[in-house]
């Protein structure tokens, strides 16, 4: 979302923090099941990501040649920084809150207690689908994305049988045709995030 000047660099939003699903069949004249919904309001100040480069006096003679290249380099550096903050930003100003920082840790014990399927000879794909199943069982989220370090993604792309035959765990960048795999070096090796990407928002002033 792009903010306008009238926002004065502050964003406001509301997240649903309580939701029950008590809808049920009823006979005429009976009371309908009561739902409980609650929303919480939040606000954040939009901070900056910036970079600079010192330019020597002599370089100014060729500024028309260098200007575009310098802009591209600085913009690329800022985009790389933004990518990192989007994933692991602390959420404490001036950093934004990253999806890894704000994610809930997977609890294998809770998964098993809730009746989660225990995979035999489990691999990384099994872990991802187990986490996705736990999220969708406990919430209304529809898991559609996993963020992985490129080295960890090799476990999905290079999985082989005992006979050395490749077994495709990722087809067209998707697991089971529904979970998109995103590889990024901002993801620490041996960690991952599984979630509903439609619930992530990034606000910008557009500058």
């Amino acid at each position: 979302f792009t903010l306008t000047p009238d926002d004065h660099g502050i964003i406001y939003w509301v997240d649903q923090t309580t939701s029950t699903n008590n809808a049920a069949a009823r006979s005429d004249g009976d009371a309908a099941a009561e739902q409980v919904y609650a929303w919480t309001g939040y606000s954040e100040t939009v901070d900056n990501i910036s970079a600079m480069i010192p330019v020597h006096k002599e370089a100014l003679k060729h500024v028309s040649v260098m200007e575009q290249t310098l802009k591209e380099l600085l913009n690329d550096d800022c985009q790389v920084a933004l990518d990192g903050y989007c994933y692991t930003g602390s959420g404490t100003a001036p950093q934004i809150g990253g999806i890894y920082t704000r994610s809930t840790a997977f609890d294998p014990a809770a998964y098993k207690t809730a009746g989660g399927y225990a995979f035999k000879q489990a691999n990384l794909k099994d872990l991802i689908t187990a986490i996705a199943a736990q999220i969708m069982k406990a919430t209304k989220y529809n898991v559609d994305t996993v963020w992985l370090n490129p080295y960890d993604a090799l476990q999905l792309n290079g999985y082989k049988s005992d006979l050395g035959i490749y077994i495709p765990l990722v087809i067209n960048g998707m697991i089971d045709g529904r979970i998109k795999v995103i590889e990024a070096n901002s993801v620490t090796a041996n960690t991952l995030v599984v979630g509903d990407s439609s619930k992530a928002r990034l606000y910008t002033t557009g500058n």
Side-chain angles (χ1 to χ4, degrees):
F1 293 90
T2 300
L3 301 179
T4 67
D6 292 335
D7 293 303
H8 304 292
I10 300 176
I11 58 172
Y12 301 91
W13 76 96
V14 175
D15 276 346
Q16 190 177 50
T17 49
T18 302
S19 176
T20 60
N21 185 6
N22 298 320
R26 69 177 181 87
S27 300
D28 287 347
D30 291 347
E34 183 176 313
Q35 304 284 83
V36 178
Y37 298 138
W39 286 263
T40 302
Y42 301 91
S43 68
E44 289 281 357
T45 300
V46 178
D47 287 300
N48 306 294
I49 296 176
S50 61
M52 65 171 290
I53 182 170
V55 179
H56 197 274
K57 180 179 178 180
E58 279 74 14
L60 295 177
K61 299 176 183 177
H62 311 286
V63 67
S64 60
V65 178
M66 300 175 59
E67 183 177 11
Q68 186 59 37
T69 299
L70 291 176
K71 285 182 178 179
E72 290 175 358
L73 292 172
L74 291 172
N75 184 64
D76 286 347
D77 288 343
C78 288
Q79 290 298 323
V80 169
L82 176 60
D83 182 68
Y85 289 136
C86 283
Y87 191 75
T88 56
S90 66
T92 301
Q95 290 189 23
I96 60 177
I99 56 173
Y100 179 83
T101 306
R102 293 186 170 177
S103 295
T104 302
F106 175 62
D107 185 344
Y111 169 78
K112 292 180 181 178
T113 300
Y117 178 74
F119 292 90
K120 295 180 180 179
Q121 297 180 331
N123 56 32
L124 182 58
K125 174 182 179 291
D126 297 328
L127 174 63
I128 293 168
T129 54
I131 296 174
Q134 183 187 47
I135 293 172
M136 291 189 289
K137 179 179 183 295
T139 68
K140 294 182 179 179
Y141 296 137
N142 182 27
V143 172
D144 63 359
T145 307
V146 57
W147 289 264
L148 287 171
N149 181 276
Y151 273 12
D152 292 328
L154 288 175
Q155 298 180 51
L156 298 175
N157 298 324
Y159 190 72
K160 292 182 180 180
S161 70
D162 292 338
L163 299 176
I165 300 172
Y166 277 101
I167 301 175
L169 302 181
V170 176
I171 299 176
N172 296 326
M174 307 284 283
I175 295 174
D176 294 339
R178 61 187 179 89
I179 301 177
K180 181 179 181 180
V181 177
I182 295 180
E183 300 180 34
N185 63 7
S186 53
V187 182
T188 302
N190 204 33
T191 70
L192 56 82
V193 167
V194 176
D196 183 346
S197 64
S198 69
K199 301 301 185 290
R201 291 183 174 90
L202 177 64
Y203 295 86
T204 175
T205 58
N207 295 326

